[in-house]
Amino acid sequence: MAEAHQAVAFQFTVTPDGVDFRLSREALKHIYLSGINSWKKRLIRIKNGILRGVYPGSPTSWLVIVMATVGSSYCKVDISMGLVCCIQRCLPEGCGPYRTPQTRALLSMAIFSTGVWMMGIFFFRQTLKLLLSYHGWMFEMHGQTSHFTKVWAICVRLLSSRRPMLYSFQTSLPKLPVPSVPATVQRYLESVRPLLDDEEYYRMEVLAKEFQDKTAPRLQKYLVLKSWWATNYVSDWWEEYVYLRSRAPLVVNSNYYVMDFVLIKNTNIQAARLGNVVHAMIMYRRKLDREEIKPVMALGIVPMCSYQMERMFNTTRIPGKETDLLQHLSDSRHVAVYHKGRFFKLWLYEGSQLLKPCDLELQFQRILDDPSPPQPGEEKLAALTAGGRLEWAQARQAFFSSGKNKAALDAIERAAFFVALDEESHHYDPEDEASLSLYGKALLHGNCYNRWFDKSFTVIAFKNGQLGLNTEHAWADAPIIGHLWEFVLGTETFHLGYTETGHCQGKANPALAAPQRLQWDIPEQCRAVIESSCQVATALADDVELYCFQFLPFGKGLIKKCRTSPDAFVQIALQLAHFRDRGKFCLTYEASMTRMFREGRTETVRSCTSESTAFVQAMAEGSRMKADLRDLFRKASKKHQNMYRLAMTGAGIDRHLFCLYVVSKYLGVSSPFLAEVLSEPWRLSTSQIAQFQIRMFDPDKYPKHLGAGGGFGPVADDGYGVSYMIAGENTIFFHISSKFSSSETNAQRFGNHIRQALLDIADLFQGPKADS
């Protein structure tokens, strides 16, 4: 095969005269350029490590201190108060570079200046960490900022005024604090009160009291010790025990999806769309490697932890018999591509140069035009990543640990990311509501063997040019992939662009080597495992009911006029909708982030509160005055906002109890309280989707440039999964999932209840006395 010849640097043949080597100059040139590129990356990382390590200092500030010290010496002023002379006396005499007094004096002043500079950096960094530990600003009413918070904000701005790199603030972020056991237990009991009758609540109080007095003190000591030693007392256990040790299939249960722009279309050409998008993704990766991406800042001044971004690219989840492993490589120069049952390896670089969008379009088009059939067992191979983890681990060890299968699997697992070229078309048609749900289903699971669910993310390209992502959850949370997606869509639309015919800009290089087909030798036993995994995954996928819709009557604009947070408004509407749907309340999960702390990920907000249930019950009665209902709603909204802020500032409930449970398992301690808490089902699991993390364009100027967010499968078999994106001033997107096998749930029915609940709550604030 031609591509095989171009992939090697030299060939040789054995002749009667010896071994005849034939060097390929072109291949050796590419190897040389790749080496140069690797060294450039190493030097950039070293430079960034130095600049990050001295932030908020800089080489310029060091030079200023040195010049000030030397200048004062020439002016006969000793600002070192004798320290320079002490350093000078300690330097060796008589030989080498220290021979002359002038050299010794200059060296002493440089050492003194460096010491002052490093002490200053340490002082400023510790001061910034102390300032970032203050979270009182979150609990102040909008427009009623205290003088203390104003002074605090000025100090934070001053200490972080120098342009930061992506990871500049990492060492200045505070550690996630361990809450006290009594506080967590009290908040837990408060959260379950509206869900339990008096007898059940009393029983839980007894269990909680026994745990707090007898078991918890010992567990808490170990947890506090871990918090002193580890960077974050939650994140590593959360990643391991919630994600990597789970033996359930990733499809539906763990992976989630992200949608494309749905109200505009840049091009209908599948290969062209991928050319621009893949190029933009590698541009983002280059910025990530060079730490040129600005850290995400709350209110523009409080930095969020960026550590999750490190494993965005070149990352694969490797199956294990007991626990999986996240494999992350420092670099990868290719992507793996799936089309019509075949796997390809597509190089992203020619030598040290990133392929242009038009070159990438050519390469993707070559894959689309390739007429070769799948090899035996190849078509459904990716179903192994969609089935049980134990079965995949055993198959990987048995059939993919050597030979061509190992080489082909390595090409996929070592790829920057995975690309799926689908043969079907999907898009959102506002006139056909079902189109958005079908689009979401295709992204969530496809046909269960045309996505590589182990990769950090899979880019999915439909035949009509519509795109989307399927994302593995262990390495990071949704806002991280959302940050990449915003950059990619903004860069593709406003910087790279397309020709009038819908192709990528520029002229492609037809001399590029074609993408390489991956070669497999899959025996019958392996094909049986593949088919079994496919059946397991298909059963899961077919059981998922997904209902996605765009809510058009209002968005963030009207909600703000109700003087409440948009998130609290939607969450209370979800409680009202769920009560109308099921006739009862349930334990509700809302994901909030803890990225104001180092290596923070998420915390749970228990959205079903006594205040929200009181409002819902009053609405259900139908006889209360609007003023009373508004008052109850505002109390529920205030409670929800306070709980959200507590979760964000490290005073949540569930991560603390989870870690105490892990410690109890390590120590072999039995706790009926923790066992019951950790086994409670989340029948309503919700998440708000972040947007506009990067200002790539003005949303007011381009109101139709909206993504529809994304979604996930239901957490409980008899529950709902709800994600929503408050996409602008006038629209909200919802993604609701449930299981057909449950007779108690129906995603579309619940979606209709959500619509009505939003309208009913908004109606409370209509009229002349709505602001009362």
Side-chain angles (χ1 to χ4, degrees):
M1 296 175 67
E3 61 267 25
H5 288 292
Q6 292 165 356
V8 296
F10 65 89
Q11 304 162 37
F12 67 90
T13 57
V14 180
T15 69
D17 300 322
V19 180
D20 177 30
F21 290 92
R22 296 196 302 276
L23 297 178
S24 168
R25 292 184 181 180
E26 187 64 24
L28 287 176
K29 174 187 172 184
H30 284 295
I31 291 172
Y32 168 75
L33 291 173
S34 296
I36 293 294
N37 194 48
S38 295
W39 276 105
K40 283 181 181 177
K41 285 189 174 182
R42 288 192 186 100
L43 292 173
I44 288 169
R45 288 186 183 124
I46 291 169
K47 182 199 77 172
N48 289 345
I50 293 170
L51 294 176
R52 186 193 331 123
V54 302
Y55 190 87
S58 66
T60 304
S61 61
W62 174 82
L63 189 60
V64 168
I65 294 173
V66 171
M67 291 175 65
T69 306
V70 173
S72 65
S73 175
Y74 280 108
C75 295
K76 307 299 181 185
V77 177
D78 184 10
I79 61 173
S80 74
M81 302 177 68
L83 284 175
V84 169
C85 294
C86 290
I87 295 169
Q88 192 169 349
R89 285 196 296 270
C90 293
L91 292 175
E93 299 182 13
C95 62
Y98 316 113
R99 189 173 300 165
T100 65
Q102 292 86 354
T103 304
R104 289 160 57 81
L106 285 172
L107 184 60
S108 301
M109 285 184 275
I111 293 172
F112 167 78
S113 301
T114 302
V116 170
W117 180 64
M118 292 179 69
M119 286 177 62
I121 290 170
F122 177 80
F123 172 77
F124 283 125
R125 189 172 284 178
Q126 293 303 310
T127 303
L128 184 58
K129 181 181 284 190
L130 185 66
L131 289 168
L132 294 176
S133 299
Y134 168 71
H135 300 121
W137 58 274
M138 290 193 66
F139 296 88
E140 294 179 349
M141 295 291 291
H142 183 67
Q144 298 179 15
T145 307
S146 66
H147 292 299
F148 182 86
T149 298
K150 289 177 181 177
V151 172
W152 165 83
I154 292 170
C155 292
V156 172
R157 285 186 186 277
L158 287 173
L159 287 175
S160 56
S161 58
R162 193 170 75 80
R163 184 181 176 185
M165 301 169 70
L166 178 60
Y167 303 120
S168 291
F169 293 113
Q170 289 299 101
T171 54
S172 298
L173 292 174
K175 287 188 175 184
L176 183 69
V178 181
S180 71
V181 172
T184 297
V185 168
Q186 179 58 40
R187 281 194 287 267
Y188 170 78
L189 290 173
E190 186 182 330
S191 74
V192 297
R193 186 65 190 94
L195 304 173
L196 306 176
D197 60 31
D198 292 342
E199 184 178 339
E200 291 171 328
Y201 182 72
Y202 176 74
R203 185 183 67 84
M204 186 55 73
E205 267 191 320
V206 172
L207 285 176
K209 179 68 173 172
E210 181 184 12
F211 168 74
Q212 181 178 320
D213 294 341
K214 296 180 179 179
T215 311
R218 183 186 175 199
L219 306 181
Q220 180 79 346
K221 286 176 184 176
Y222 282 96
L223 204 54
V224 170
L225 181 63
K226 187 194 176 188
S227 74
W228 293 345
W229 177 254
T231 309
N232 188 295
Y233 81 92
V234 176
S235 294
D236 58 337
W237 284 348
W238 188 253
E239 180 178 300
E240 179 179 358
Y241 292 107
V242 172
Y243 295 116
L244 298 182
R245 281 189 180 269
S246 172
R247 302 294 83 198
L250 300 184
V251 64
V252 176
N253 295 318
S254 181
N255 284 30
Y256 57 94
Y257 66 87
V258 184
M259 286 185 171
D260 196 359
F261 283 151
V262 291
L263 301 180
I264 62 150
K265 204 161 193 181
N266 290 318
T267 180
N268 292 317
I269 302 173
Q270 189 177 18
R273 190 81 202 281
L274 275 174
N276 268 347
V277 163
V278 170
H279 183 86
M281 283 181 164
I282 302 305
M283 286 173 60
Y284 183 94
R285 187 180 70 169
R286 180 183 292 172
K287 286 178 173 287
L288 197 62
D289 289 341
R290 297 178 178 180
E291 301 183 32
E292 294 172 354
I293 297 171
K294 294 179 181 177
V296 176
M297 312 281 276
L299 299 181
I301 58 172
V302 180
M304 302 287 105
C305 180
S306 303
Y307 100 100
Q308 293 180 63
M309 291 181 167
E310 294 174 3
R311 298 182 294 181
M312 186 179 296
F313 295 93
N314 327 324
T315 298
T316 301
R317 180 167 171 167
I318 306 296
K321 292 182 180 179
E322 293 184 359
T323 182
D324 291 355
L325 170 73
L326 282 178
Q327 173 187 279
H328 173 68
L329 306 175
S330 60
D331 194 19
S332 176
R333 298 174 62 80
H334 72 276
V335 293
V337 184
Y338 179 91
H339 176 243
K340 282 189 175 180
R342 296 93 42 84
F343 290 88
F344 294 82
K345 182 178 183 179
L346 190 157
W347 292 100
L348 298 167
Y349 292 84
E350 185 185 17
S352 61
Q353 295 298 312
L354 173 63
L355 293 184
K356 296 179 294 184
C358 55
D359 291 329
L360 288 167
E361 178 186 353
L362 170 66
Q363 298 293 66
F364 283 114
Q365 193 60 51
R366 284 173 168 174
I367 293 174
L368 290 168
D369 296 338
D370 189 320
S372 60
Q375 298 161 72
E378 182 182 19
E379 182 179 13
K380 296 184 179 181
L381 177 63
L384 289 170
T385 69
R389 304 305 293 170
L390 176 59
E391 292 78 8
W392 174 205
Q394 291 171 337
R396 190 176 190 275
Q397 185 175 7
F399 306 113
F400 298 89
S401 57
S402 62
K404 62 169 66 174
N405 286 351
K406 184 180 188 303
L409 183 62
D410 279 349
I412 295 173
E413 293 180 340
R414 300 175 72 86
F417 49 89
F418 194 80
V419 178
L421 295 167
D422 279 17
E423 282 298 291
E424 58 185 25
S425 294
H426 284 286
H427 71 287
Y428 172 47
D429 179 3
E431 301 300 318
D432 177 16
E433 186 180 76
S435 62
L436 194 62
S437 303
L438 292 171
Y439 175 31
K441 282 273 283 181
L443 294 176
L444 180 62
H445 51 68
N447 61 18
C448 297
Y449 57 82
N450 57 355
R451 318 275 182 257
W452 198 269
F453 294 100
D454 286 353
K455 287 302 290 183
S456 54
F457 63 91
T458 295
V459 180
I460 300 156
F462 297 105
K463 197 164 187 175
N464 60 348
Q466 195 77 20
L467 298 185
L469 301 177
N470 182 286
T471 307
E472 201 279 320
H473 210 324
W475 65 273
D477 301 307
I480 304 301
I481 200 72
H483 194 279
L484 163 70
W485 199 228
E486 285 183 27
F487 175 89
V488 167
L489 295 181
T491 301
E492 173 216 9
T493 305
F494 296 100
H495 298 283
L496 298 177
Y498 297 90
T499 65
E500 291 182 359
T501 55
H503 292 278
C504 294
Q505 301 278 359
K507 186 176 181 181
N509 177 12
L512 287 172
Q516 179 183 344
R517 269 292 302 271
L518 299 184
Q519 301 299 311
W520 308 91
D521 182 13
I522 301 172
E524 284 292 340
Q525 305 98 302
C526 184
R527 291 179 217 171
V529 177
I530 291 171
E531 190 59 39
S532 174
S533 294
C534 189
Q535 289 174 6
V536 169
T538 301
L540 274 172
D542 290 347
D543 195 26
V544 173
E545 180 186 10
L546 186 67
Y547 179 55
C548 308
F549 68 92
Q550 182 183 11
F551 181 77
L552 287 167
F554 60 85
K556 187 165 55 178
L558 184 141
I559 295 173
K560 284 182 177 178
K561 292 178 182 177
C562 300
R563 295 191 298 176
T564 188
S565 85
D567 182 67
F569 190 99
V570 174
Q571 283 291 327
I572 296 169
L574 290 176
Q575 292 300 314
L576 177 57
H578 188 273
F579 186 80
R580 288 172 173 175
D581 184 78
R582 301 285 293 272
K584 59 183 178 181
F585 298 104
C586 73
L587 194 61
T588 305
Y589 181 112
E590 182 189 6
S592 76
M593 61 89 178
T594 55
R595 288 174 60 202
M596 289 191 294
F597 301 99
R598 192 171 180 184
E599 296 189 11
R601 287 195 63 161
T602 60
E603 177 58 276
T604 305
V605 180
R606 293 176 167 236
S607 302
C608 184
T609 63
S610 297
E611 289 80 1
S612 66
T613 55
F615 167 74
V616 169
Q617 287 168 338
M619 288 286 286
E621 289 173 13
S623 58
R624 303 286 286 271
M625 299 291 290
K626 272 191 175 183
D628 294 336
L629 292 171
R630 282 197 298 268
D631 185 54
L632 288 170
F633 174 83
R634 284 176 174 145
K635 286 179 181 177
S637 173
K638 185 177 180 181
K639 176 67 175 181
H640 180 82
Q641 290 179 70
N642 187 61
M643 289 177 57
Y644 202 97
R645 290 161 181 158
L646 286 171
M648 288 183 66
T649 53
I653 301 167
D654 290 275
R655 299 301 179 269
H656 185 205
L657 293 178
F658 162 77
C659 288
L660 290 171
Y661 180 75
V662 173
V663 174
S664 75
K665 288 299 181 182
Y666 279 130
L667 298 178
V669 175
S670 176
S671 169
F673 172 74
L674 287 177
E676 186 156 339
V677 170
L678 271 293
S679 64
E680 292 169 341
W682 300 99
R683 290 194 171 88
L684 182 54
S685 181
T686 71
S687 180
Q688 183 183 181
I689 302 159
Q691 60 167 335
F692 300 134
Q693 298 180 78
I694 312 175
R695 298 289 291 187
M696 295 293 293
F697 59 91
D698 184 355
D700 295 327
K701 189 176 179 181
Y702 301 96
K704 289 191 176 295
H705 287 67
L706 288 177
F712 52 89
V715 175
D717 290 340
D718 58 348
Y720 292 111
V722 180
S723 69
Y724 54 94
M725 187 173 80
I726 304 170
E729 297 297 309
N730 301 302
T731 191
I732 307 172
F733 285 99
F734 284 92
H735 305 253
I736 304 157
S737 62
S738 64
K739 292 195 174 183
F740 287 115
S741 56
S742 171
S743 60
E744 299 181 49
T745 57
N746 181 296
Q748 184 161 359
R749 182 186 70 206
F750 188 43
N752 292 333
H753 282 308
I754 291 172
R755 274 197 184 94
Q756 193 58 51
L758 289 167
L759 292 171
D760 289 347
I761 294 175
D763 184 61
L764 298 178
F765 294 89
Q766 305 299 315
K769 296 185 179 180
D771 293 330
S772 62

